[in-house]
C-alpha cells in the first residue's frame, strides 16, 4: 500500500479513523457524491466525471475494500454502517453538509440507506442500476464463514479471466469488456489487504444495522436503468422505484448493468 500512496497524488487522500481514503474532488458548485458499485472504484466514473465537474463539485470516493483506499483490518468497516460512516466523515472533512448522492449498484444501496438514516445529508438521489438497500449486509458467499476458503477462492476471483467474465455479464455489448479494462479493474482490487477485504465484504456483519424503508425517502430520486440489465432486472427496478413517491425512472436502451461504462452520454443527458 505504501507504493499506492507514492503513485497517487497526495491531495487525493484523506485520513478517516486513522485510515487513508482515496477521493477525487473536482469542480465547483453544488456537490455530487459518487459511490461506485461492488468490485469497482472511482475509475468507474472516469467517462462522466469531467463533464459533471464542469457544472458541479464532484466527489468520487473509493469505498472500503476497493480502489486506492487503505484496506481496514476491522470487519465492521466493511458493513453498511461502516461504509456510511466513512462517506459522511469524508463529507465532513471537505465541508460538505449535504449533496446529491449518485450511486451505482452497491453504491446505490448505500445511497438509499444514507437517505433514510441521515436524510439531512442527501439533497437528491441518482440511482444507477441500484441494488436494494439491504444488499451491503445481506450478500453472503461460501467464503463468508471461513478465512481458509477465502484464501483459496481469492486467486480465482482476482484472475483477469474472472474479472473479464464479470464485465461481460454487466455489459450489453460484450466487446467492451476488453482485456485492458479487466486489467484496470483488477489493479484497483489487488491491493495490500485484499484477502481481509474479500473475506469481510462477504461475511455477515458484526451487528446488522436497522432495516431501510425506501418509502420514507422524500428527496427527489432519479432512477437510471439499463434496459438489458441481467444483474438486476428492469421489472424489479420499477417495483422498487414505485415505493418512492418522488422518483422518476429513465430506461437506457441497449445497455446492461453499467451505464456509466457502456452509455456515458445517456447517463449525462439524463442527469
Amino acid at each position: 500500500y505504501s507504493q499506492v500512496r507514492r503513485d497517487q497524488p497526495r491531495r487525493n487522500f484523506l485520513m478517516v479513523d486513522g485510515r487513508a481514503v482515496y477521493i477525487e474532488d473536482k469542480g465547483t458548485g453544488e456537490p455530487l457524491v459518487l459511490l461506485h458499485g461492488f468490485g469497482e472504484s472511482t475509475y468507474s466514473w472516469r467517462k462522466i466525471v469531467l463533464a459533471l465537474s464542469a457544472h458541479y463539485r464532484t466527489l468520487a470516493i473509493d469505498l472500503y475494500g476497493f480502489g486506492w483506499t487503505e484496506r481496514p483490518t476491522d470487519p465492521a468497516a466493511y458493513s453498511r454502517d461502516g461504509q456510511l460512516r466513512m462517506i459522511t466523515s469524508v463529507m465532513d472533512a471537505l465541508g460538505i453538509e449535504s449533496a446529491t448522492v449518485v450511486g451505482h449498484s452497491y453504491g446505490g444501496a448505500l445511497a438509499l440507506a444514507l437517505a433514510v438514516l441521515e436524510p439531512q445529508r442527501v439533497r437528491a438521489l441518482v440511482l444507477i442500476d441500484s441494488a436494494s438497500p439491504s444488499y451491503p449486509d445481506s450478500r453472503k458467499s461460501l467464503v463468508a464463514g471461513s478465512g481458509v476458503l477465502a484464501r483459496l477462492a481469492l486467486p480465482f476471483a482476482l484472475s483477469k479471466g474472472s474479472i473479464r467474465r464479470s464485465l461481460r455479464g454487466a455489459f450489453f455489448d460484450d466487446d467492451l469488456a476488453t482485456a485492458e479494462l479487466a486489467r484496470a479493474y483488477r489493479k484497483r482490487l489487488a491491493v495490500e489487504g485484499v484477502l481481509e477485504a474479500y473475506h469481510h465484504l462477504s461475511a455477515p456483519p458484526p451487528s446488522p444495522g436497522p432495516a431501510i424503508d425506501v418509502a420514507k425517502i422524500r428527496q427527489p430520486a432519479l432512477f437510471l436503468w439499463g434496459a438489458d440489465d441481467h444483474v438486476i432486472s428492469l421489472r424489479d427496478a420499477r417495483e422498487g422505484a414505485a415505493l418512492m413517491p418522488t422518483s422518476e425512472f429513465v430506461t437506457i436502451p441497449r445497455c446492461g448493468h453499467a451505464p456509466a461504462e457502456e452509455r456515458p452520454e445517456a447517463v449525462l443527458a439524463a442527469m
Side-chain angles (χ1 to χ4, degrees):
Y1 190 71
S2 60
Q3 185 65 49
V4 168
R5 293 294 302 270
R6 286 194 294 270
D7 290 346
Q8 305 303 319
R10 181 178 296 182
R11 67 179 180 277
N12 286 12
F13 291 94
L14 287 176
M15 296 305 295
V16 174
D17 292 334
R19 308 180 190 105
V21 173
Y22 181 85
I23 64 167
E24 294 183 359
D25 187 7
K26 303 177 186 295
T28 59
E30 294 293 321
L32 304 180
V33 173
L34 279 61
L35 306 177
H36 61 77
F38 199 88
E40 299 178 355
S41 66
T42 51
Y43 177 78
S44 308
W45 302 113
R46 70 196 181 284
K47 294 182 179 180
I48 66 171
V49 73
L50 288 180
L52 289 174
S53 64
H55 303 278
Y56 306 98
R57 181 183 184 183
T58 59
L59 171 62
I61 304 172
D62 278 345
L63 299 169
Y64 284 142
F66 308 101
W68 304 134
T69 286
E70 187 175 0
R71 306 316 191 235
T73 57
D74 179 10
Y78 297 95
S79 68
R80 181 194 71 196
D81 290 348
Q83 300 278 26
L84 293 181
R85 172 175 170 157
M86 183 263 274
I87 293 163
T88 55
S89 295
V90 169
M91 293 173 66
D92 288 342
L94 297 175
I96 300 174
E97 295 183 2
S98 63
T100 293
V101 182
V102 184
H104 173 234
S105 195
Y106 176 80
L110 294 172
L112 286 163
L114 186 63
V116 172
L117 297 175
E118 299 197 48
Q120 75 282 3
R121 309 306 301 258
V122 179
R123 298 180 185 178
L125 291 164
V126 179
L127 302 163
I128 304 174
D129 293 72
S130 175
S132 72
S134 64
Y135 179 78
D137 281 351
S138 66
R139 66 179 309 276
K140 297 177 177 66
S141 73
L142 292 175
V143 305
S146 170
V148 173
L149 287 177
R151 188 178 298 275
L152 292 172
L154 183 62
F156 172 77
L158 280 182
S159 70
K160 294 184 182 71
S162 179
I163 291 173
R164 195 173 182 185
R165 283 190 294 272
S166 295
L167 290 170
R168 287 195 186 105
F171 291 167
F172 172 77
D173 182 357
D174 287 352
D175 290 341
L176 294 176
T178 63
E180 180 183 5
L181 186 64
R183 282 193 295 271
Y185 271 78
R186 184 185 184 280
K187 183 177 181 180
R188 290 160 176 80
L189 290 171
V191 172
E192 180 182 358
V194 62
L195 176 61
E196 291 78 10
Y198 182 63
H199 176 53
H200 295 318
L201 283 163
S202 299
S207 55
I212 302 299
D213 182 2
V214 298
K216 294 180 178 179
I217 293 176
R218 292 295 179 266
Q219 299 94 327
L222 174 63
F223 284 76
L224 298 181
W225 224 268
D228 300 281
D229 186 345
H230 297 301
V231 178
I232 305 172
S233 73
L234 193 58
R235 177 181 176 181
D236 289 345
R238 289 190 182 279
E239 288 178 356
L243 299 174
M244 296 169 56
T246 57
S247 68
E248 179 181 352
F249 202 98
V250 174
T251 303
I252 302 175
R254 298 179 62 81
C255 183
H257 185 65
E261 282 281 9
E262 199 164 19
R263 294 290 307 280
E265 72 293 339
V267 172
L268 288 169
M271 289 180 66

